[in-house]
Amino acid sequence: MPETSREHRWYRQSGPGVLIAAAFIGPGTVTVCTIAGVNFGYELLWALLLSIIATILLQEMSARIGLISGKGLTEVIREQLQSRPILKALVLTLIISAIVIGNAAYEAGNLSGGRLGLESALDLEQSLIGPWLSLLIGCVAFAILFSGSYKVLERALTALVVLMSLSFVTTAILTRPDLGQVLGGLLLPGVSDANLLTIVGLIGTTVVPYNLFLHAALVREKWTDASSLPAARRDTIVAVSLGGLVSMSILISAAAADVSQVSNVGDLARSLEPLYGSAAKYLLGLGLFAAGITSAITAPLAAAYVVRGCMGWPVSLQHTGFRAVWVLVLLSGILFASLGINPIEIIRFAQVANGITLPVVAGIVLWLINTQLLPARYRNTRLHNIAGMTIVLVTVALGIRSIFLVLNSLIS
């Protein structure tokens, strides 16, 4: 009985981490992991493993700031730069521009990805109602967000994450991967000009900058004081690890596909069907649908939290300004998705851009976690700071190198 009570208590205390997993496992993740698997087999699994470790470290720091300070990252930044108004205005403007405009662009990909998955799972690829599915998914996202209830949001996304996880992990198991090659891909890192942009994309689609802002805000919706910090840490580790397993499953499934080029999960499903039957198409379709709709909910939500912190609005999911921001982002996504614009290349570019901008956001989190904002016992330990600086330095090096690669390709 006591054991059951502990399990029930753990379930009730979980939540924000699941929303973070729901946010980073979107059509962008599916696309980049699929491309990585098709082009490089199991070779880049190590990049995903390191990305998951980095995500857990940074998300835990972000959650700790939010829980101990009782404020979101943008609110904390605003307060810390209060004595430097010009710098504060510049930093907050850059944050709003990057998060709101970027998430509006992602939203079209999220809705289109959800639509592709639904079409595949329901055999609607040649149906006239296909173009209306993006609008339908957008309406579902609108209804969940408009409820203004954290519990409704949490439960809906938890169910979708479970569906997504079962779909992709089952597909990976069906492909019967070579465990020796999988282990080698996890433990033997390798970087070259040929795979560098894909590595940066894998990092960018896992360690998502806007999730750091989202997590700091969400922990305040779930918990109220420092005594909940162990639960918040456990929630982060379990949920992000589950998200990492999903990403690896997608890459493993793509590596098993006997094709030379796949641009999205629809192509992947069709390539696996002759080998593993129609189950692959339905499982991947359901997984992509869940990935699309979860990100379609969390991207507008993250943008609204960022703007709320910058503007100093009251802490309420039902605040008019808060709702106006997520409605704007959602409507932008519905508009572009309904126009039939192919989002695949935009999504891929966005993940690389995420990987390049990550060091800046990670540096901000490291700065905040070590300021007088938090009591000494809640600041980073030396080991935390070494790990954080290592993440920043590695992503800076990869980002600079990828910029040179892009410039060289443009010149040539």
Side-chain angles (χ1 to χ4, degrees):
M1 190 68 174
E3 184 66 29
T4 303
S5 298
R6 281 197 296 272
E7 290 176 0
H8 182 62
R9 185 166 59 249
W10 177 86
Y11 175 78
R12 287 191 295 109
Q13 288 186 331
S14 65
V18 174
L19 271 66
I20 297 305
F24 79 74
I25 304 294
T29 299
V30 176
T31 299
V32 175
C33 290
T34 297
I35 292 170
V38 168
N39 292 339
F40 304 103
Y42 306 113
E43 292 177 15
L44 297 185
L45 281 170
W46 67 267
L48 276 177
L49 178 61
L50 290 183
S51 296
I52 292 303
I53 295 172
T55 301
I56 290 172
L57 288 170
L58 291 174
Q59 294 293 163
E60 188 278 333
M61 292 181 202
S62 179
R64 199 179 343 144
I65 292 172
L67 187 60
I68 304 303
S69 70
K71 302 179 180 70
L73 289 187
T74 44
E75 295 168 280
V76 174
I77 292 169
R78 196 179 72 236
E79 290 184 8
Q80 292 294 309
L81 298 178
Q82 196 65 42
S83 61
R84 302 176 182 178
I86 295 178
L87 180 60
K88 181 181 77 170
L90 177 62
V91 170
L92 293 182
T93 299
L94 288 174
I95 290 173
I96 289 178
S97 300
I99 301 298
V100 176
I101 296 174
N103 283 10
Y106 293 152
E107 192 67 357
N110 294 333
L111 294 169
S112 296
R115 167 192 163 184
L116 286 173
L118 206 54
E119 286 177 341
S120 177
L122 301 178
D123 285 325
L124 296 175
E125 293 163 10
Q126 305 300 322
S127 172
L128 294 176
I129 70 169
W132 293 97
L133 291 178
S134 296
L135 178 60
L136 175 62
I137 294 170
C139 289
V140 172
F142 179 91
I144 293 173
L145 286 167
F146 194 78
S147 72
S149 168
Y150 175 78
K151 286 186 177 179
V152 170
L153 183 69
E154 178 185 290
R155 289 170 182 170
L157 288 177
T158 298
L160 288 167
V161 167
V162 170
L163 171 64
M164 174 171 59
S165 303
L166 290 173
S167 298
F168 287 129
V169 172
T170 302
T171 303
I173 292 172
L174 285 175
T175 64
R176 298 179 183 177
D178 184 311
L179 296 183
Q181 291 183 18
V182 170
L183 190 61
L186 284 170
L187 301 179
L188 301 174
V191 180
S192 66
D193 286 352
N195 66 20
L196 182 60
L197 287 178
T198 304
I199 291 172
V200 174
L202 289 171
I203 294 172
T205 196
T206 307
V207 198
V208 182
Y210 80 71
N211 276 351
L212 298 174
F213 292 91
L214 182 61
H215 206 170
L218 288 176
V219 292
R220 296 181 305 160
E221 305 283 352
K222 184 74 176 181
W223 297 295
T224 57
D225 55 55
S227 65
S228 300
L229 187 57
R233 283 175 172 156
R234 182 170 58 244
D235 174 56
T236 300
I237 293 170
V238 171
V240 174
S241 299
L242 177 62
L245 179 62
V246 171
S247 297
M248 290 180 184
S249 297
I250 298 167
L251 190 152
I252 288 170
S253 299
D258 186 22
V259 291
S260 59
Q261 185 174 5
V262 171
S263 61
N264 59 58
V265 78
D267 295 340
L268 177 59
R270 283 186 286 273
S271 68
L272 290 175
E273 190 171 356
L275 298 174
Y276 309 110
S278 59
K281 180 174 74 170
Y282 297 122
L283 287 168
L284 283 169
L286 287 173
L288 182 58
F289 165 70
I293 196 169
T294 53
S295 294
I297 292 168
T298 53
L301 186 68
Y305 272 120
V306 167
V307 176
R308 185 183 77 183
C310 291
M311 303 300 293
W313 291 335
V315 180
S316 172
L317 294 177
Q318 299 176 5
H319 183 269
T320 302
F322 185 89
R323 279 181 167 169
V325 174
W326 66 251
V327 167
L328 177 63
V329 172
L330 182 58
L331 288 178
S332 299
I334 291 174
L335 174 62
F336 286 108
S338 299
L339 292 175
I341 299 173
N342 188 343
I344 298 302
E345 287 304 317
I346 297 175
I347 290 174
R348 192 179 182 188
F349 173 80
Q351 308 314 318
V352 174
N354 262 353
I356 294 172
T357 59
L358 172 63
V360 177
V361 179
I364 290 174
V365 171
L366 277 174
W367 164 57
L368 293 176
I369 201 74
N370 288 293
T371 63
Q372 300 296 320
L373 164 75
L374 303 182
R377 67 182 181 277
Y378 295 118
R379 295 175 205 156
N380 268 3
T381 63
R382 180 176 296 179
L383 184 60
H384 269 109
N385 282 328
I386 291 173
M389 285 305 302
T390 301
I391 294 170
V392 172
L393 292 175
V394 169
T395 51
V396 165
L398 290 173
I400 291 174
R401 181 58 184 158
S402 63
I403 290 172
F404 278 114
L405 278 178
V406 172
L407 291 176
N408 286 337
S409 66
L410 291 175
I411 293 173
S412 60

